[in-house]
Amino acid sequence: MKETGKYQPYNYFQLMEVSLRELLVEKGIVTEAQVAATVEDMRNRTPERGARVVAHAWSDPEFKRKLLADGTRACEELGLDVPALRLVAVENTPAVHNMIVCTLCSCYPRMLLGIPPDWYKSRNYRSRAVREPRAVLAEFGLDLPDEMKIRVHDSTADMRYLVLPMRPAGTEGWSEQQLAAIVSRDCMIGVAVPRIA
Ligand code: FE
Protein backbone atom coordinates (compact mmCIF):
# COMPACT_ATOMS: atom_id res chain seq x y z
CA MET A 1 0.00 0.00 0.00
CA LYS A 2 1.39 3.38 -1.01
CA GLU A 3 1.57 6.06 1.67
CA THR A 4 0.26 9.55 0.98
CA GLY A 5 3.40 11.13 2.42
CA LYS A 6 6.16 10.21 4.76
CA TYR A 7 4.60 11.69 7.88
CA GLN A 8 0.97 11.58 6.85
CA PRO A 9 -0.83 8.36 7.61
CA TYR A 10 -4.15 7.74 5.89
CA ASN A 11 -7.24 8.90 7.66
CA TYR A 12 -10.10 6.46 8.16
CA PHE A 13 -11.85 7.15 4.86
CA GLN A 14 -8.66 7.19 2.80
CA LEU A 15 -7.71 3.85 4.30
CA MET A 16 -11.15 2.43 3.49
CA GLU A 17 -10.95 3.72 -0.10
CA VAL A 18 -7.46 2.40 -0.74
CA SER A 19 -8.15 -0.98 0.87
CA LEU A 20 -11.37 -1.53 -1.04
CA ARG A 21 -9.93 -0.35 -4.34
CA GLU A 22 -6.82 -2.50 -4.05
CA LEU A 23 -8.91 -5.51 -3.13
CA LEU A 24 -11.21 -5.02 -6.13
CA VAL A 25 -8.23 -4.63 -8.45
CA GLU A 26 -6.49 -7.65 -6.92
CA LYS A 27 -9.58 -9.78 -7.43
CA GLY A 28 -9.81 -8.62 -11.04
CA ILE A 29 -13.24 -6.99 -10.61
CA VAL A 30 -12.05 -3.57 -11.81
CA THR A 31 -8.78 -2.20 -13.15
CA GLU A 32 -6.90 0.86 -11.86
CA ALA A 33 -7.53 2.43 -15.27
CA GLN A 34 -11.29 1.99 -14.92
CA VAL A 35 -11.22 3.54 -11.46
CA ALA A 36 -9.18 6.49 -12.76
CA ALA A 37 -11.55 6.98 -15.71
CA THR A 38 -14.60 6.94 -13.42
CA VAL A 39 -13.04 9.44 -11.02
CA GLU A 40 -12.17 11.68 -13.98
CA ASP A 41 -15.73 11.41 -15.24
CA MET A 42 -17.09 12.36 -11.80
CA ARG A 43 -14.82 15.41 -11.67
CA ASN A 44 -16.15 16.51 -15.02
CA ARG A 45 -19.70 16.64 -13.72
CA THR A 46 -20.38 20.18 -12.60
CA PRO A 47 -23.49 22.23 -11.80
CA GLU A 48 -23.31 23.69 -15.32
CA ARG A 49 -25.06 20.52 -16.44
CA GLY A 50 -28.02 21.13 -14.18
CA ALA A 51 -28.08 24.80 -15.16
CA ARG A 52 -28.34 23.78 -18.81
CA VAL A 53 -31.37 21.66 -17.98
CA VAL A 54 -33.03 24.51 -16.07
CA ALA A 55 -32.31 27.09 -18.78
CA HIS A 56 -33.73 24.78 -21.42
CA ALA A 57 -36.86 24.18 -19.35
CA TRP A 58 -37.32 27.95 -18.96
CA SER A 59 -36.98 28.44 -22.69
CA ASP A 60 -39.00 25.51 -24.00
CA PRO A 61 -42.39 24.83 -22.36
CA GLU A 62 -42.63 21.42 -24.01
CA PHE A 63 -39.28 20.39 -22.53
CA LYS A 64 -40.35 21.74 -19.14
CA ARG A 65 -43.47 19.60 -19.27
CA LYS A 66 -41.35 16.54 -20.06
CA LEU A 67 -38.84 17.37 -17.34
CA LEU A 68 -41.54 17.60 -14.69
CA ALA A 69 -43.17 14.40 -15.94
CA ASP A 70 -40.00 12.30 -16.19
CA GLY A 71 -36.72 13.97 -15.26
CA THR A 72 -34.55 11.03 -16.24
CA ARG A 73 -35.92 10.81 -19.76
CA ALA A 74 -35.88 14.58 -20.29
CA CYS A 75 -32.19 14.70 -19.33
CA GLU A 76 -31.44 11.90 -21.74
CA GLU A 77 -32.96 14.06 -24.43
CA LEU A 78 -30.25 16.64 -23.69
CA GLY A 79 -27.60 13.94 -23.85
CA LEU A 80 -27.25 13.80 -20.07
CA ASP A 81 -27.16 10.27 -18.81
CA VAL A 82 -28.80 9.66 -15.46
CA PRO A 83 -27.95 5.99 -15.07
CA ALA A 84 -30.30 3.76 -13.07
CA LEU A 85 -31.70 6.68 -11.13
CA ARG A 86 -35.06 8.30 -11.04
CA LEU A 87 -34.66 12.04 -11.34
CA VAL A 88 -37.57 14.08 -10.08
CA ALA A 89 -37.64 17.76 -10.99
CA VAL A 90 -39.69 19.87 -8.58
CA GLU A 91 -40.91 23.26 -9.69
CA ASN A 92 -40.82 26.40 -7.58
CA THR A 93 -43.90 28.58 -7.92
CA PRO A 94 -45.03 31.77 -6.21
CA ALA A 95 -46.89 29.51 -3.75
CA VAL A 96 -44.35 26.72 -3.15
CA HIS A 97 -40.60 26.69 -2.66
CA ASN A 98 -38.76 23.37 -2.87
CA MET A 99 -35.52 22.33 -1.23
CA ILE A 100 -33.66 19.04 -1.23
CA VAL A 101 -31.84 17.09 1.43
CA CYS A 102 -30.76 13.56 2.14
CA THR A 103 -31.58 12.98 5.79
CA LEU A 104 -29.80 9.63 5.81
CA CYS A 105 -26.49 10.36 4.12
CA SER A 106 -25.59 12.45 1.08
CA CYS A 107 -27.74 11.34 -1.88
CA TYR A 108 -27.54 14.16 -4.39
CA PRO A 109 -28.14 14.56 -8.15
CA ARG A 110 -24.41 14.22 -8.85
CA MET A 111 -24.92 13.58 -12.54
CA LEU A 112 -26.29 17.11 -12.83
CA LEU A 113 -24.62 18.97 -9.97
CA GLY A 114 -21.32 17.17 -9.42
CA ILE A 115 -19.91 16.58 -5.99
CA PRO A 116 -22.11 17.80 -3.13
CA PRO A 117 -20.87 20.66 -0.93
CA ASP A 118 -19.73 19.69 2.57
CA TRP A 119 -22.63 21.45 4.24
CA TYR A 120 -25.08 19.28 2.29
CA LYS A 121 -23.57 16.22 3.93
CA SER A 122 -23.40 17.76 7.40
CA ARG A 123 -25.55 16.41 10.19
CA ASN A 124 -26.64 19.96 10.90
CA TYR A 125 -28.19 20.51 7.45
CA ARG A 126 -29.60 16.99 7.20
CA SER A 127 -31.49 17.22 10.46
CA ARG A 128 -32.49 20.88 10.45
CA ALA A 129 -33.63 21.07 6.82
CA VAL A 130 -36.63 18.94 7.68
CA ARG A 131 -37.33 20.33 11.16
CA GLU A 132 -36.92 24.03 10.53
CA PRO A 133 -36.44 24.65 6.81
CA ARG A 134 -37.39 28.31 7.02
CA ALA A 135 -34.70 29.01 9.59
CA VAL A 136 -32.12 27.10 7.52
CA LEU A 137 -33.04 29.04 4.38
CA ALA A 138 -32.74 32.31 6.29
CA GLU A 139 -29.20 31.33 7.26
CA PHE A 140 -28.47 30.89 3.56
CA GLY A 141 -29.76 34.44 3.08
CA LEU A 142 -33.07 33.36 1.62
CA ASP A 143 -36.05 34.92 3.36
CA LEU A 144 -39.28 33.63 1.91
CA PRO A 145 -42.66 35.27 2.44
CA ASP A 146 -44.64 33.62 5.25
CA GLU A 147 -47.42 32.60 2.92
CA MET A 148 -45.02 30.68 0.68
CA LYS A 149 -45.04 26.97 1.48
CA ILE A 150 -41.74 25.14 1.77
CA ARG A 151 -41.59 21.57 0.55
CA VAL A 152 -38.54 19.55 1.60
CA HIS A 153 -37.66 16.50 -0.49
CA ASP A 154 -35.71 13.68 1.07
CA SER A 155 -33.49 12.01 -1.52
CA THR A 156 -32.79 8.31 -1.53
CA ALA A 157 -30.27 5.99 -3.12
CA ASP A 158 -32.37 5.59 -6.26
CA MET A 159 -34.41 8.78 -6.30
CA ARG A 160 -32.82 12.21 -6.72
CA TYR A 161 -34.41 15.62 -6.87
CA LEU A 162 -33.58 18.75 -8.80
CA VAL A 163 -35.22 22.07 -8.00
CA LEU A 164 -36.50 23.93 -11.03
CA PRO A 165 -36.35 27.55 -9.84
CA MET A 166 -38.65 30.30 -11.05
CA ARG A 167 -37.31 32.27 -13.95
CA PRO A 168 -36.63 35.79 -12.69
CA ALA A 169 -38.51 38.71 -14.17
CA GLY A 170 -36.34 40.80 -16.47
CA THR A 171 -34.82 37.83 -18.30
CA GLU A 172 -37.21 37.96 -21.23
CA GLY A 173 -35.41 37.41 -24.48
CA TRP A 174 -32.29 35.97 -22.83
CA SER A 175 -30.47 33.12 -24.54
CA GLU A 176 -30.25 29.76 -22.81
CA GLN A 177 -26.58 30.42 -22.19
CA GLN A 178 -27.34 33.70 -20.44
CA LEU A 179 -30.08 32.03 -18.41
CA ALA A 180 -27.85 29.12 -17.40
CA ALA A 181 -25.28 31.57 -16.03
CA ILE A 182 -27.66 32.74 -13.28
CA VAL A 183 -28.63 29.22 -12.19
CA SER A 184 -26.23 28.29 -9.41
CA ARG A 185 -25.80 24.95 -7.72
CA ASP A 186 -27.55 26.30 -4.62
CA CYS A 187 -30.57 27.37 -6.70
CA MET A 188 -31.00 23.76 -7.81
CA ILE A 189 -30.70 22.47 -4.23
CA GLY A 190 -33.26 25.06 -3.26
CA VAL A 191 -31.25 27.08 -0.74
CA ALA A 192 -31.04 30.06 -3.09
CA VAL A 193 -33.03 31.55 -5.95
CA PRO A 194 -31.63 32.95 -9.21
CA ARG A 195 -31.08 36.69 -9.22
CA ILE A 196 -30.13 39.15 -11.87
CA ALA A 197 -27.02 41.07 -10.92
FE1 FE B 1 -28.12 9.67 0.97
Side-chain angles (χ1 to χ4, degrees):
M1 199 179 282
K2 285 169 262 162
E3 289 291 335
T4 47
K6 207 170 180 185
Y7 302 107
Q8 273 194 323
Y10 287 121
N11 69 30
Y12 176 79
F13 292 105
Q14 288 170 323
L15 191 63
M16 289 273 280
E17 185 276 318
V18 173
S19 310
L20 184 65
R21 172 162 47 81
E22 291 191 347
L23 200 62
L24 289 172
V25 171
E26 212 174 282
K27 287 185 178 288
I29 296 167
V30 296
T31 65
E32 285 283 2
Q34 283 173 321
V35 174
T38 305
V39 170
E40 180 63 16
D41 194 44
M42 283 165 76
R43 288 219 173 97
N44 286 337
R45 283 180 220 152
T46 66
E48 276 87 75
R49 287 191 178 188
R52 235 181 85 204
V53 173
V54 170
H56 193 50
W58 282 348
S59 310
D60 178 345
E62 177 57 16
F63 178 76
K64 178 176 156 182
R65 194 191 57 73
K66 286 189 211 164
L67 179 68
L68 294 173
D70 183 342
T72 309
R73 202 185 291 173
C75 286
E76 275 166 14
E77 218 176 274
L78 290 190
L80 297 166
D81 200 15
V82 186
L85 284 176
R86 187 160 164 228
L87 179 78
V88 180
V90 286
E91 184 185 17
N92 284 351
T93 68
V96 179
H97 178 86
N98 296 281
M99 70 188 279
I100 61 175
V101 66
C102 173
T103 54
L104 192 65
C105 44
S106 58
C107 300
Y108 185 75
R110 287 171 192 248
M111 54 293 183
L112 296 178
L113 300 187
I115 303 201
D118 284 341
W119 57 258
Y120 184 85
K121 298 181 274 185
S122 71
R123 197 180 174 84
N124 194 354
Y125 179 76
R126 290 189 287 121
S127 55
R128 291 184 57 225
V130 281
R131 281 206 318 269
E132 42 175 354
R134 208 170 279 274
V136 172
L137 292 181
E139 284 166 34
F140 276 97
L142 186 59
D143 286 301
L144 298 174
D146 285 341
E147 62 277 14
M148 191 182 267
K149 260 198 207 153
I150 301 174
R151 216 168 268 160
V152 183
H153 303 271
D154 194 2
S155 315
T156 64
D158 50 17
M159 184 152 16
R160 305 295 158 91
Y161 295 93
L162 180 81
V163 175
L164 175 60
M166 280 190 283
R167 179 173 175 164
T171 57
E172 296 77 17
W174 283 27
S175 70
E176 285 189 31
Q177 217 170 0
Q178 285 174 297
L179 290 170
I182 58 166
V183 182
S184 67
R185 173 195 74 196
D186 288 2
C187 294
M188 294 177 279
I189 303 176
V191 296
V193 295
R195 308 215 188 262
I196 316 181

